[in-house]
Amino acid sequence: MNLLLLILIPLFTAVAVLLTRNNQQVKWISLTGASIQLIAAIVLFIAYRAEVAAGNTAQMLFQQQYNWFPSWHISLHLGVDGISVAMILLTAFVVIAGVLVSWNVEKMTKEFYFLLILLSLGAYGFFISLDLFVLFFFLEIAVIPKYLLIGIWGSGKKEYSANKLALMLMGGSALVLVGLMAVYFSMPERTFDLLQLSQLHIPIATQKIFFPLLFVGFGVFTALFPFHTWVPDGHSSAPTAGSMFLAGISMKLGGYGCLRVATYIMPDGAKEYANIIIILSTIAILYGAFATMMQKDLKYINAYSSVSHCGFVLLGIGMLTKVSITGAVMQMVSHGLMTALFFAVIGMIYERTHTRQVDEMGGLLKVMPFTISVLFIVGLCSLGLPGLSGFVAEMTVFMGSWEHTDSFHRIATILACMSIVVTAVYILRAVSKTAMGPIKASYSNLTDATWNEKAAAIILLAGIIAIGVAPSWLTDLIKPAAEIIIQKIVAVK
């Protein structure tokens, strides 16, 4: 499997979009590119499983390396393990769904789709890079398009939200860059190569100083408390596909960076600050859940609930057990699919009712049966119904967290579990107010989802149900990579 294809496919798609003048052709080119991305991701998944089944125990598979700046020891070093493959699958599912739900975008269509494709290029590059400088380069590629998508195609306080999001994410990027440069200059043999760094031992003093910078820097992307404040404003002002990409993919860049970079190459630092991470993530879980209860705007409901759900990702990482880290990655995949679908459905409802306020809705199930049925399912996934991805992901984090026998970890786990009850309250209230009751006269002639909207919903639903009904294909993919990370943690004295 040639991993370079995962960069070249969106790159060629973006160029083709720029060279096309007809808006309808732009949409079909983008959909074709997204479909090829999805096929490539599925082929990668099958090839990876075949290699593992054949007994290939290499830490990273399908490695490729091309010199970039030899004097700075920077190379385009690519490779994947099970965690990377899971993130690439998630990206491919969200990208094609985002392209489909944007079919009615008529304002600057070419530029809109170009930015969407550019976002996917940054995400793929980030997930397959084994050189930390190149990884940072792709992280930056994934930041700028978000600012433009919100600032140009957004709604409400779009300028304020775009500026706030860009400033906070660029601040997080700056922390990451300082941390990476500190690692680079602290090693006798200077390198940005992740695999080489994992074999060398970064001085403990360096880890204690710069682990927080790397973890917080990446954590800003995944709504680490108290650096989460860009999430509600950014999600609420972004266009539908922008919200899907932000919550479905971009927030996972942060979780992946916290795990793959900060925790993996600085295990002493991870162990030193584990309790602080657990405290902050537990606060995020509870704060996000209770803050969601106060919201009446569907986008704000999903945005604040994302703060709570992403708290489980960081809790799983902070607990530092094999099961909890496996659960953290599962939660990244589950939340990416779930929240992307949630935003897609909210966009469908807003397109027809021109409101996101739940108090102004009611009875929509009668006129939009497909859309509201999907809203029901994704709501049940959010509150952790068995058979859907949210249940297995959060349960895996809980089980991994409960492996600790001391009071501190057990109390944090119990507090995190309490958020499930709060989630059930706000989800059931929001869904019932939207779907049930008498319908307004002005809504009686609303139409249901179109073919492209149904296709987007079905693609994301397929992922949610596949994880919920048969989670072993995902856990088997993630566990070996989680085992390697935890071995480094255990080795710390």
Side-chain angles (χ1 to χ4, degrees), residues 379-403:
L380 294 174
C381 180
S382 181
L383 62 82
L385 185 78
L388 299 172
S389 63
F391 173 77
V392 290
E394 291 183 4
M395 279 302 296
T396 308
V397 173
F398 291 147
M399 291 173 69
S401 303
W402 198 255
E403 287 181 358

Side-chain angles (χ1 to χ4, degrees), residues 42-57 61-62 477:
I42 293 172
V43 170
L44 172 64
F45 168 69
I46 294 170
Y48 183 87
R49 285 179 60 99
E51 287 287 330
V52 173
N56 191 340
T57 57
L61 300 185
F62 311 120
L477 188 67

